[in-house]
Amino acid sequence: SLVHCLRNHEFIDTYIPTTGTQKTVSLKLPTESGDVIFDLVDVAGQELKDTDKRRDAYDNLAAGIVMFDITNVDSCEEALLWIEDLRSVSPDIPIVVVANKFDAIGQMTFDNPTVNKLRNRHKVLPMSVKTRLKLNSPFKSLARLLIKKPLIFTQCENENENEKKKCI
């Protein structure tokens, strides 16, 4: 998962669903104007039906990332429900939508009507947690939305250690 990768700097092949809701990791993105720090809260996707518990988790959020598996149509449909649910509690909250598993090129579901609906309604950012492709891009997008000014990102934490270059 994204949270595991950010916390432990490694990818695990075994899927372990999140249970409950908890602050899981802090992420620092250095910019030329100072650091932007995110305290990440992971909300269990398996508990979509437990409305009260899930909505309690939304109370203090400044922004949201809704992530789905680009190789799984059901995951795309659930992403639409998550966005709708988050908007019902916090209508003006900035949300970034992320399509994970962009490394699985042959398995992507771009021709599906649900995916097209998601892409037509929201800017969808590509990512691969497994290969660390664009791992920080949703946080950079949210930082720009929250701070509402141009940001130049310098070396970012949690970027691929082999790629010591500016993050822009």
Side-chain angles (χ1 to χ4, degrees):
S1 78
L2 174 62
V3 171
H4 179 87
C5 187
L6 293 172
R7 184 186 315 124
N8 301 307
H9 305 284
E10 68 177 359
F11 174 78
I12 53 172
D13 283 319
T14 307
Y15 176 69
I16 303 169
T18 303
T19 57
T21 303
Q22 57 190 3
K23 178 186 176 284
T24 56
V25 68
S26 289
L27 175 70
K28 179 173 77 171
L29 297 177
T31 76
E32 290 182 355
S33 304
D35 294 342
V36 177
I37 299 172
F38 288 95
D39 289 325
L40 305 182
V41 176
D42 194 3
V43 178
Q46 305 300 321
E47 297 175 2
L48 190 59
K49 295 176 184 165
D50 190 348
T51 306
D52 292 336
K53 182 187 278 188
R54 189 183 61 258
R55 289 188 175 169
D56 285 346
Y58 298 161
D59 280 344
N60 296 311
L61 297 182
I65 295 174
V66 174
M67 192 165 174
F68 69 96
D69 176 347
I70 192 66
T71 68
N72 182 324
V73 175
D74 292 339
S75 179
C76 299
E77 292 172 356
E78 290 168 6
L80 286 167
L81 295 174
W82 274 101
I83 294 164
E84 183 180 306
D85 189 59
L86 186 53
R87 289 268 184 241
S88 74
V89 175
S90 302
D92 299 321
I93 194 170
I95 297 174
V96 172
V97 182
V98 178
N100 189 31
K101 297 191 180 177
F102 247 74
D103 57 301
I105 294 171
Q107 301 171 29
M108 290 189 218
T109 58
F110 280 121
D111 294 331
N112 183 280
T114 303
V115 177
N116 289 332
K117 183 191 293 186
L118 188 60
R119 291 172 59 210
N120 288 336
R121 292 184 184 176
H122 306 279
K123 179 181 178 184
V124 178
L125 301 175
M127 176 194 282
S128 171
V129 175
K130 183 176 185 176
T131 66
R132 302 179 68 86
L133 172 75
K134 300 189 178 273
L135 201 61
N136 283 324
S137 66
F139 304 104
K140 292 176 191 178
S141 292
L142 282 178
R144 288 181 178 110
L145 288 170
L146 291 167
I147 295 172
K148 297 180 180 167
K149 69 176 189 177
L151 294 172
I152 305 283
F153 293 94
T154 57
Q155 178 60 41
C156 300
E157 287 187 4
N158 302 314
E159 287 286 333
N160 185 330
E161 290 300 317
N162 297 325
E163 298 177 13
K164 295 285 186 186
K165 59 184 179 185
K166 270 199 152 184
C167 304
I168 297 177

